[in-house]
Each structure stands twice: as C-alpha cells, then as structure tokens.
Amino acid sequence: MTTDLPLLSNPRSERVRSVRSLGRRAVRERQRKFVVEGPQAVRELLQYAAPAALDLYLTHPAAARHTDIVALAEDLASGGDGGPGPGPGRGDGGLRVRLCTDEVLAAMTDTPHPQGMIAVATPTDVPLAEALAAVSRAGSANADKSGSTGATASHPFVVVLTNVRDPGNAGTVLRAADAFGSAAVLVSDASVDVYNPKVVRSTVGSLFHLPVSVGTPVPELLAACRDAGLRLFAADGSGETSLPDVDLSVPHAWVMGNEAWGLEPEVRDLCDEVVSIPIVRAESLNLAMAATVCLHASASAARS
Amino acid sequence: MTTDLPLLSNPRSERVRSVRSLGRRAVRERQRKFVVEGPQAVRELLQYAAPAALDLYLTHPAAARHTDIVALAEDLASGGDGGPGPGPGRGDGGLRVRLCTDEVLAAMTDTPHPQGMIAVATPTDVPLAEALAAVSRAGSANADKSGSTGATASHPFVVVLTNVRDPGNAGTVLRAADAFGSAAVLVSDASVDVYNPKVVRSTVGSLFHLPVSVGTPVPELLAACRDAGLRLFAADGSGETSLPDVDLSVPHAWVMGNEAWGLEPEVRDLCDEVVSIPIVRAESLNLAMAATVCLHASASAARS
C-alpha cells in the first residue's frame, strides 16, 4: 500500500512547519499533539497506544526496512482491529501514513538521525485516578495470583517525579519504571513535559507501556498516593534510612526530586521515610541512577 | 594572587586554538593532554590527580565564586605540598593558572556552559598491572579489616568496558564504579576514549577517583583479570544466570559490552557466567542502567 502513496518532498511546506513547531511546549499544549521519533518508539506507539497515533511520516528506505511497522500502520490506517477505534483528535478514524524524503523528515525535527520515521500523536497520559487504579489492579493480581506476569504482582509500587527538569533523566526514570514493573509514573506539574522530544526519545517507547499521569501539584499527588494505600519513600542522598533497611514488601511510591537540588524539605516531610542509597563517595549518583537502583530494589522485593 | 594575573582576552590566539584542538582524539593522543571542564570536575582533578594538572583557565567571576579551587590551584602553582610533586609533561614544576574572558573560555571548548573554568591535564590512566594491584590491595584490606572504609573492602570487584562507544554511557559507568566502590575500571582498546570531553564531563570527577587503565585488547584484559583471581561475569540481557542467583562474595569483574549490540559471543565465552538482570520488559535497560544495577549488587554483597 505505502508504495502507492504520494511522496512529500517540500521541506518548506506548511505541514513540515506545523510538525516542526511541536518541538515547542506551548505549541504541543495548544494543539495537544507531540512527535515520536525513530522506528523503535514508533513501533511501541502503534502497539501500545494505537488510538493516540495520528500521522506516520516515513522514508522509502525506512518503509522497506521496517515492514512490521508498515503492516501495523496499514492495519490502523484502514480502521482495522489494531486498536480500540479512533482516538481523540483523529478526524477520519484512521492513522494517516505518508511517505516523505529525507529532507522533509530532517526538517520536521531537531534530531540528527530520526532513522527515517516519525509519528505525530495525541497525548497518552491518563488522569491521576486512572493511574492509581492501576496500582489497585496490580495489588489485586497478587490476591488471586492469576495472570500475574510482572514484578508488580506482589507489592505494587509507583514512581512520583517532583520538579524533575532534565529530559534525559526523566526519560531514563520512565524507562527504569517500565523495566522494573512500576504500576504507574506520576509526574508533578512543575516537572519537565513528558512529551518533550528528548524525553520521548530517551524513554525508547516506555512512555507507552505504563500509565503516566501529568500535571498534578506535588501535595495533591502525595495525598492521592497515600489515599491509595501507598507508603511514601522519598529518595534522597540525605536520607537517614538506608535502602537495604527499607521494607519494600508493602505497596509504595518512590518520590524523586530535582536532579540538582534534590527534594525540598517540605516534600520530604510529607513522606513516610527518607531513603538513601549506600555509596562509597558522595554526589556520585545522578537522578536516573538513583531511580534505577531504587526501582530495581522494589522489583526484587516484589519477586521474593 | 589570581587578581594579579594578566587577563587572556584574545579568543583567536594560538593558545586558544591549541586548547580547542584537544576536542579531537588524534590531537589528545599526540599531545598527551585533555580538557577538564567545570568547577566540580576541576576540583576533583586538583584534589585527586594533582600531578596531572598542567593549566587552569578561569574567569574572574568563577575565581571569586570558587575560592576553594583557587586556593588549591595556588598551592599547586607555587609547588606547595598539594600533590606528590610535578607530573610528567609539566615544564616548570607547577600548575599554571590564568585568568581569561568568557569569550576565551567559550572559544576553548564546545561546551555551552563550562561554568567559567577549564583545566588542561595529562592523562591520568595507569598501567593495567597497577590497576589490578588495586584489586589485591582492596582484597588484603579485607584480611586485616584495618583502615577499610569502602565497599571494596570485603570482596573487591572491577568493571571491564569492552567496545563501549557512547561517551555518556561510559561516563555514567565510571561514575557508578566510583559510587559503588569498584577497585578499578579497565577499558579495552576498542572503546571510547575516556578523555573525550563528553566522557570527562559525565563522570563529574569520578575519572580521578579510582585507577583507570585503557588500551588493552579484550582477550588480554580478561586473561589479566583471571590471573588476578577475579571471577568474570558478563553482563548481558541474554544471560542464563539471573543477577540474584550470582554469588558476588568472591573477587570479580563485571564485563560490559557495547550499548547497541551487547557482548560478542567470543567475549561471553571467555567469561565464567553470563548474567542478566530480571526485568519485566525486554530492551528497557541501557548500558549505564545495567552497570548501575550490577555494581550496586556487588557493593551490597561487599557490605554483607
């Protein structure tokens, strides 16, 4: 099918400018759209968040190389059974697939190598209550032990990002949350936009694998976690409790702070324990590394 | 003292071009010099690898802000007791300190924000035998338990980087090695240059905290580890042994492969065990995250 499509070849077209403008947060928020770059992230979008996919732009060589993605896209474009129906913001009820030249693709993003493929999608985040419902589901999966495949099964846990500003760190935390079976990721209002192209790129698809909520102020976020029965662990180098001494065999939330200045005292005070990772030298773990260690510990506890 | 120094103000001078050329690996190798950017990394250089420091360039505001670094530098410049004497390549037996304008500093590096300060240094790596001697020292510290402060004390371990090409990943692995008390980091000949500005930047000083050896071919590197009594653990997503099942209470080496394609089969075959980290979804850990988890596990075993 894709070989029949007209080739977009004008890097100065209105469409190209429109996609490129999604690099700016204000435009993303106004249009409720964002860009997903590269075959791996596009594949995960089409597989895990199909209703959100609006447009797929790809080069001929990329289409030839990634026939699995083309097949997925064609199924969605024809309104097939690839997803639960048209998503919000989709006019014609199907994914629009368009071939384009390398120049057009390069003009659409700031990425040096989008690897021949980008998609435009509507936001995939869910309301906070829905994200926290995923915690209850993970918990009840423990009760009957049926259909339990992930580490979330026995002791569900979530990650809370407060004031995280660096896109690479935020993306890596999302990736760790995905790898180690976090039930959800809850992002505060003062944190980096999860639809920032650098965040999307560094999650390598994890953004579409688990419920992510955005935009809630920190106090409300922590109150909602507490109401959902989660114990609140602040991850902070200054913590008096050492990670090996924490009982992770209860439903819990890891509360992560800003990469440079850590957690504010008032946020730490809202948590049940302030937990530090034992290290040989101070200041040697960044946010992404700390989150990786904490979430791995939660996953280990969930398995035991 | 620094206020008496002449101010370097010509961003097109021969000196500026010479420092800037150290951004290229061939020049670094020919001149045996590299650049250290930013106050934190410069401080660690002067504290932990003073004999390697040749030149310090800083702006007036940076000198005013970081008086501790200026004091360290003045001590070294006067040939004081701040280090074990002049290092190789230092003509006059002391660190040369020079004030410069923002424009000069910006012209010396590719970094958007060197934060008012860079240093030029000679390579700080050590011969492989010396790096492995650090393992024996860490091991013998266990025997008498005296003066043992780090996680390396009970069961020494090292990190081996084979074919790691991405500077950010390599820097983060060095940082994790430092944080979790690895006795040394051994970098193969086919890996990224540890003096690449991006590696130096992402180690945030860890490069100067522990013995690092570079340039040995992988088979020799692994043979030397084995001769030093280390058990060889290949870290690889395809590993049949799960991390929690590995006995880390023996001297060991973590062998890490390329960020994209992992470890070559022939390298895996040279190791004692191929170890994977249990995760909920495949392909969701990058090299730096995997190294962080493995080294944290080694540090935990060393403490227990």
Side-chain angles (χ1 to χ4, degrees):
Chain A
M1 176 194 112
T2 53
T3 49
D4 304 334
L5 294 170
L7 185 73
L8 303 179
S9 60
N10 178 6
R12 280 167 300 277
S13 72
E14 180 53 42
R15 179 200 309 272
V16 169
R17 272 202 297 273
S18 169
V19 173
R20 188 181 183 86
S21 71
L22 295 174
R24 300 204 305 275
R25 183 171 190 162
V27 177
R28 288 195 295 276
E29 292 183 346
R30 195 167 60 236
Q31 300 197 1
R32 295 201 44 77
K33 290 181 183 175
F34 71 107
V35 173
V36 179
E37 301 169 348
Q40 192 174 349
V42 168
R43 184 184 290 113
E44 304 301 301
L45 170 72
L46 300 187
Q47 282 184 339
Y48 289 86
L54 299 175
D55 301 287
L56 173 63
Y57 299 101
L58 73 175
T59 62
H60 259 300
R65 198 177 312 121
H66 301 286
T67 50
D68 63 318
I69 297 176
V70 172
L72 267 173
E74 288 182 345
D75 191 43
L76 293 167
S78 65
D81 55 7
R90 183 111 52 89
D92 55 358
L95 172 70
R96 289 172 294 245
V97 182
R98 289 196 178 81
L99 287 170
C100 61
T101 61
D102 277 337
E103 291 68 35
V104 163
L105 208 69
M108 283 177 166
T109 79
D110 276 329
T111 310
H113 306 291
Q115 297 175 269
M117 190 179 300
I118 69 169
V120 174
T122 55
T124 53
D125 58 274
V126 301
L128 178 58
E130 191 178 326
L132 284 169
V135 182
S136 313
R137 277 199 305 278
S140 62
N142 177 40
D144 62 9
K145 292 281 185 195
S146 66
S148 145
T149 55
T152 52
S154 0
H155 316 299
F157 57 93
V158 302
V159 185
V160 178
L161 295 187
T162 71
N163 292 313
V164 172
R165 300 286 161 77
D166 177 69
N169 265 316
T172 306
V173 174
L174 269 157
R175 209 166 153 176
D178 184 26
F180 295 121
S182 176
V185 175
L186 317 177
V187 183
S188 80
D189 58 346
S191 288
V192 66
D193 178 19
V194 297
Y195 303 112
N196 176 310
K198 285 184 191 160
V199 176
V200 177
R201 206 178 307 145
S202 57
T203 71
V204 203
S206 288
L207 182 58
F208 312 122
H209 290 165
L210 74 176
V212 175
S213 93
V214 302
T216 312
V218 173
E220 276 182 51
L221 210 41
L222 299 187
C225 286
R226 201 177 282 287
D227 288 348
L230 301 177
R231 195 162 166 79
L232 304 183
F233 298 133
D236 195 290
S238 72
E240 288 184 1
T241 308
S242 184
L243 179 60
D245 300 329
V246 178
D247 177 12
L248 296 169
S249 69
V250 296
H252 59 276
W254 280 111
V255 182
M256 317 294 303
N258 178 273
E259 41 278 279
W261 71 75
L263 280 167
E264 293 83 354
E266 58 270 30
V267 176
R268 281 203 298 268
D269 289 348
L270 290 171
C271 294
D272 295 299
E273 295 195 60
V274 183
V275 179
S276 63
I277 297 166
I279 53 177
V280 173
R281 283 189 197 84
E283 297 195 46
S284 33
L285 292 182
N286 64 22
L287 170 65
M289 296 164 81
T292 299
V293 169
C294 292
L295 295 172
H296 173 257
S298 292
S300 299
R303 272 193 313 275
S304 62
Chain B
M1 177 193 111
T2 53
T3 50
D4 305 332
L5 294 170
L7 184 73
L8 302 179
S9 61
N10 178 5
R12 280 168 300 279
S13 72
E14 180 53 40
R15 181 200 308 273
V16 169
R17 271 201 298 273
S18 170
V19 174
R20 190 182 182 84
S21 72
L22 295 174
R24 299 205 305 276
R25 182 173 191 161
V27 177
R28 288 195 295 275
E29 291 182 347
R30 195 166 58 236
Q31 300 196 2
R32 295 198 48 74
K33 290 180 184 175
F34 71 106
V35 173
V36 179
E37 301 169 349
Q40 192 174 350
V42 168
R43 183 185 290 112
E44 305 300 300
L45 170 72
L46 301 186
Q47 282 185 340
Y48 288 87
L54 299 175
D55 301 286
L56 174 63
Y57 298 101
L58 72 175
T59 62
H60 259 302
R65 197 176 313 121
H66 302 285
T67 49
D68 63 320
I69 297 176
V70 172
L72 267 173
E74 288 182 346
D75 191 43
L76 292 168
S78 64
D81 55 6
R90 184 114 52 90
D92 55 358
L95 173 70
R96 288 172 293 246
V97 182
R98 291 196 176 82
L99 287 170
C100 60
T101 61
D102 277 338
E103 292 67 35
V104 163
L105 207 70
M108 282 178 167
T109 78
D110 276 330
T111 310
H113 307 292
Q115 297 175 270
M117 190 180 299
I118 70 169
V120 174
T122 55
T124 53
D125 58 274
V126 300
L128 178 59
E130 190 178 326
L132 285 169
V135 182
S136 313
R137 278 199 303 279
S140 61
N142 178 39
D144 62 9
K145 291 281 183 195
S146 66
S148 142
T149 54
T152 51
S154 359
H155 316 300
F157 57 94
V158 302
V159 185
V160 179
L161 295 187
T162 72
N163 292 313
V164 172
R165 301 285 162 78
D166 177 68
N169 265 316
T172 307
V173 174
L174 269 157
R175 209 168 154 175
D178 183 27
F180 295 122
S182 176
V185 175
L186 316 177
V187 183
S188 80
D189 58 346
S191 289
V192 66
D193 178 20
V194 296
Y195 303 113
N196 176 312
K198 285 185 191 159
V199 177
V200 177
R201 207 179 306 145
S202 57
T203 71
V204 203
S206 288
L207 182 59
F208 312 123
H209 289 164
L210 74 175
V212 175
S213 93
V214 301
T216 312
V218 173
E220 277 180 51
L221 210 42
L222 298 188
C225 287
R226 201 176 282 287
D227 289 348
L230 301 176
R231 197 162 163 79
L232 304 182
F233 298 133
D236 195 290
S238 72
E240 289 183 359
T241 307
S242 184
L243 179 60
D245 300 330
V246 178
D247 177 11
L248 296 170
S249 69
V250 295
H252 59 276
W254 280 109
V255 183
M256 316 294 302
N258 177 272
E259 42 277 279
W261 70 77
L263 279 166
E264 293 83 353
E266 58 270 29
V267 176
R268 282 204 297 269
D269 289 348
L270 289 172
C271 294
D272 295 300
E273 295 194 59
V274 183
V275 179
S276 63
I277 297 166
I279 53 177
V280 172
R281 281 188 198 84
E283 297 193 44
S284 32
L285 291 182
N286 65 22
L287 170 65
M289 297 163 80
T292 299
V293 169
C294 292
L295 296 172
H296 173 257
S298 293
S300 301
R303 272 194 312 276
S304 63

